[in-house]
Amino acid sequence: MENNMFFGLHPVEELIRAGKEIEKIFVQSGLRSPQISEIVHYARTNNIPVQYVPIEKLNRLTRKNHQGVVAFVCPISYQLIEEVIPMVYDEGRMPFVVILDRVTDVRNFGAIARTCYAAGVDAIVIPSRGSALINGDAMKTSAGALSRINVCRVDNVKDAIDFMKSSGLKVISISEKGRKNIWESDMKVPLAIMMGSEEDGISEAYLKRSDEHLLIPMPGDIDSLNVSVATGIVCFEVVRQRL
């Protein structure tokens, strides 16, 4: 069992009472009880993602008696993007943010965090639902970066994008369908770059809110890159321009 995974009604209730920062709670589909209802109510009140899953998924997570509920404690403390950006401005710097739209692979997420920290990114913004768990694998792949970089979990990515734009950031989406390449964009400004999911890229609603839609030039006979690799290329184009 991962050291950030807890299962069973009583252990999960104890997590809640202790005020631990909970990453996500899995609840067995169709299961009803007063204790389950109390756990779900607390989670929703405190913006903790709850996902109803088949019992088979819980059984894959642990072979012990999970009683229909498994919770993951987050090994980091989330920050508020509404606090990070003003702080960066107060320090006399131009904000540099990376938005991840439903990146679900924990190793991709850990590698992206490592790259972002090396490139001087001020914050990584992720949605509260449909994003990779920050677990032991993610922490290990990040080589410690997830303990150092600001990670901001938001309920509504569109609202977060609107806040960043109102704070003076240019929001750039990156995909193979971009209208011009990354070398043609001015990145020497307050900036947020958005990367899409491994499955279907960036959501259309977020693309519409972007100031620019860019692509990474690829002369080879491949039309897309791993999201971690693509994020690294774009982050260090920002570094190159700003240096």
Side-chain angles (χ1 to χ4, degrees):
M1 183 183 74
E2 294 189 40
N3 58 12
N4 67 325
M5 185 177 79
F6 294 78
F7 52 83
L9 294 170
H10 183 67
V12 173
E13 285 180 332
E14 286 299 314
L15 282 180
I16 291 169
R17 292 194 188 99
K20 297 292 186 181
E21 187 146 15
I22 299 173
E23 174 86 359
K24 181 178 287 189
I25 298 176
F26 289 125
V27 175
Q28 181 181 326
S29 299
L31 191 63
R32 299 287 183 271
S33 77
Q35 285 174 293
I36 289 286
S37 297
E38 186 177 339
I39 288 169
V40 171
H41 174 74
Y42 171 85
R44 289 176 173 164
T45 302
N46 291 274
N47 297 316
I48 298 167
V50 174
Q51 186 174 343
Y52 289 93
V53 298
I55 189 172
E56 290 81 9
K57 181 174 179 66
L58 300 181
N59 291 342
R60 286 195 299 270
L61 291 171
T62 176
R63 295 182 180 181
K64 296 181 180 179
N65 184 18
H66 49 68
Q67 298 178 293
V69 59
V70 174
F72 290 86
V73 174
C74 188
I76 67 169
S77 294
Y78 289 113
Q79 307 301 315
L80 297 174
I81 191 64
E82 295 85 357
E83 295 179 357
V84 173
I85 289 176
M87 178 188 69
V88 175
Y89 277 129
D90 288 346
E91 292 173 355
R93 299 186 292 109
M94 288 186 297
F96 180 16
V97 176
V98 169
I99 306 166
L100 301 180
D101 177 20
R102 297 166 296 126
V103 171
T104 57
D105 185 280
V106 295
R107 291 180 178 84
N108 275 340
F109 182 76
I112 288 169
R114 182 175 184 174
T115 295
C116 287
Y117 185 68
V121 170
D122 296 298
I124 300 172
V125 174
I126 59 173
S128 58
R129 289 168 177 78
S131 188
L133 283 173
I134 300 180
N135 59 13
D137 282 343
M139 297 294 289
K140 182 177 180 180
T141 309
S142 81
L146 278 169
S147 299
R148 299 179 176 91
I149 196 167
N150 294 310
V151 180
C152 305
R153 185 171 69 177
V154 299
D155 291 327
N156 191 310
V157 175
K158 288 188 286 188
D159 289 348
I161 292 170
D162 290 344
F163 169 76
M164 285 183 260
K165 292 179 71 170
S166 70
S167 299
L169 277 68
K170 179 165 75 170
V171 178
I172 294 175
S173 294
I174 308 294
S175 83
E176 68 276 9
K177 298 176 183 177
R179 295 178 178 85
K180 60 181 183 179
N181 73 56
I182 59 174
W183 304 325
E184 299 175 293
S185 176
D186 178 14
M187 299 185 182
K188 301 184 295 293
V189 297
L191 186 68
I193 63 171
M194 181 157 41
M195 311 299 298
S197 76
E198 297 93 342
E199 297 299 322
D200 57 5
I202 298 171
S203 302
E204 188 64 31
Y206 305 157
L207 283 174
K208 291 177 180 177
R209 277 174 156 75
S210 302
D211 296 301
E212 289 183 346
H213 186 186
L214 306 180
L215 57 80
I216 297 170
M218 288 182 284
D221 191 22
I222 283 183
D223 61 0
S224 65
L225 294 170
N226 171 277
V227 64
S228 170
V229 173
T231 304
I233 291 169
V234 180
C235 281
F236 280 93
E237 172 61 15
V238 177
V239 172
R240 185 193 69 81
Q241 289 194 23
R242 291 185 172 188
L243 289 178

